[in-house]
Amino acid sequence: MENKLPAWDDLRVLLEVHRRGSFLAAGHHLGMSTSTVARRIGAIEKDLGCSLVHRTSQGAWLEREALELVGLAEGFEQSLAARRRDRGGGSPYAGVVRVSLPDGFMPAAAEAAARFRRLHPETLIEAVSESRFVDLASREADIGIRGGRSSSPALIDKPLGEIVTGLYASEDYLSRCLPSGFLGARDYGPQDFLIEDGVPHRQSPTQWLLQRGAVRFPFRSNSMEARLEAAKRGMGLVFLAVGAGKDHPRLVRVGLETPFPTFRFYLSMHKELRRTPRIRGVAASIEEVFAEYMAAQAESEALFRPKRIKAR
């Protein structure tokens, strides 16, 4: 890092590649073509005489030297924002809030964002669906929703609630394949299940199904929306958090002899960021939406009366 300092316009491109995880996404945000993004990154690498960014089919990852430049770019960006505020041209809520969360929570994130921006339209909110735990301590995101407490002392965690998940299917599928509306211990083998793509981990819904003898998986997708649509079209059974069941009236919850385990979710953020008005405000809006979701879940649980059949 001993050569000349890159220009801000190039640093801004590197910053967006880091934030968005790919040249394509960074280009969309900046209004540039992918080739222009690549050219800007190449210019920085040429100036510094080293490789900074590696492109793969899964996205882009940055070398340690590139992360140092990202920190520099973030500092410069914050300085520009502070200068605009000092001149009276800004608001303490102006800027971007990046939220990292599982795909299934995207509707809740959209609702929280809509509510917050009615009050503060100057805030820009980015909700990113990621299967990995982003490094909040290194500020890869401002807010994270995750199924476990953080281990870093730099972060704070606020419980959002314990999520109950059920299996749902269309009335058409149930009439054809599961008229009892109940899954007993020996009923998993003949049924079709719509699952997340990829290798299942120990606590994943797919692993839970495999342990109970499920073998038929006609549709796999990393998109929760796609799995729900497939279920509505009668392709099989799909996992859905019961608090969201009211939003999908075309799907019917089935009874389970062994309920799927519940998981407690947390809202996590860097301790220093909780004093930033826009981040604190978006976090509060997310908590409000989740509180309503937990109330809907409790109501759904109270009303649900699964059919029971005798063990075979």
Side-chain angles (χ1 to χ4, degrees):
M1 310 289 283
E2 298 177 356
N3 298 308
K4 69 178 183 179
L5 189 66
W8 162 241
D9 283 347
D10 292 337
L11 279 178
R12 187 164 63 102
V13 174
L14 179 65
L15 179 59
E16 291 304 326
V17 169
H18 170 67
R19 285 174 171 170
R20 299 171 194 285
S22 74
F23 282 33
L24 179 63
H28 282 167
H29 180 74
L30 295 169
M32 299 178 179
S33 66
T34 304
S35 61
T36 300
V37 172
R39 188 170 63 252
R40 291 286 187 88
I41 296 299
I44 301 176
E45 292 176 333
K46 182 178 179 180
D47 286 344
L48 299 176
C50 63
S51 178
L52 297 174
V53 183
H54 301 274
R55 296 174 69 180
T56 70
S57 58
Q58 286 75 42
W61 63 273
L62 279 64
E63 294 282 3
R64 180 178 57 83
E65 292 83 356
L67 293 176
E68 293 175 5
L69 287 174
V70 165
L72 182 66
E74 287 177 333
F76 189 68
E77 184 181 61
Q78 291 166 9
S79 296
L80 288 175
R83 179 172 295 182
R84 284 194 293 267
R85 288 196 299 269
D86 292 342
R87 291 179 177 177
S91 156
Y93 292 96
V96 178
V97 178
R98 183 179 172 90
V99 184
S100 170
L101 69 169
D103 181 54
F105 290 144
M106 275 296 176
E111 174 62 24
R115 293 184 187 184
F116 186 76
R117 291 198 75 253
R118 288 190 200 108
L119 300 174
H120 303 287
E122 65 271 37
T123 301
L124 305 178
I125 300 170
E126 300 175 357
V128 183
S129 170
E130 296 174 295
S131 56
R132 69 185 183 100
F133 271 16
V134 300
D135 191 349
L136 294 172
S138 297
R139 303 193 182 174
E140 290 185 355
D142 301 309
I143 299 170
I145 297 175
R146 42 181 56 172
R149 288 189 178 275
S150 306
S151 58
S152 171
L155 304 180
I156 56 173
D157 301 306
K158 298 183 106 177
L160 291 172
E162 196 164 354
I163 304 299
V164 177
T165 302
L167 276 167
Y168 290 73
S170 68
E171 291 185 357
D172 171 64
Y173 177 86
L174 293 177
S175 65
R176 289 186 290 108
C177 305
L178 192 65
S180 69
F182 185 87
L183 277 174
R186 300 179 182 179
D187 296 330
Y188 288 80
Q191 300 301 321
D192 292 330
F193 296 94
L194 316 174
I195 60 173
E196 188 172 3
D197 195 18
V199 179
H201 56 77
R202 185 170 57 87
Q203 294 183 317
S204 71
T206 303
Q207 187 63 36
W208 188 84
L209 291 171
L210 291 170
Q211 291 169 352
R212 280 153 185 79
V215 294
R216 296 169 53 160
F217 307 105
F219 185 77
R220 299 170 182 253
S221 174
N222 286 335
S223 166
M224 183 69 182
E225 182 180 0
R227 297 196 299 273
L228 289 173
E229 186 61 30
K232 292 171 185 177
R233 293 177 181 274
M235 290 183 64
L237 292 140
V238 67
F239 280 101
L240 176 65
V242 302
K246 61 182 177 56
D247 298 325
H248 302 279
R250 292 166 56 192
L251 295 178
V252 179
R253 185 180 176 187
V254 304
L256 298 176
E257 182 175 289
T258 305
F260 186 71
T262 60
F263 292 97
R264 186 169 292 277
F265 281 84
Y266 299 84
L267 183 148
S268 303
M269 70 174 75
H270 200 285
K271 288 179 178 178
E272 295 180 2
L273 294 181
R274 62 181 169 178
R275 291 189 287 269
T276 304
R278 67 177 183 275
I279 296 175
R280 184 175 65 243
V282 171
S285 185
I286 292 173
E287 291 180 70
E288 178 184 83
V289 169
F290 265 85
E292 295 172 6
Y293 173 91
M294 297 307 298
Q297 175 178 279
E299 180 181 1
S300 176
E301 284 289 86
L303 296 174
F304 183 55
R305 297 289 183 268
K307 296 179 181 179
R308 298 283 178 180
I309 57 175
K310 294 181 179 180
R312 296 171 185 169

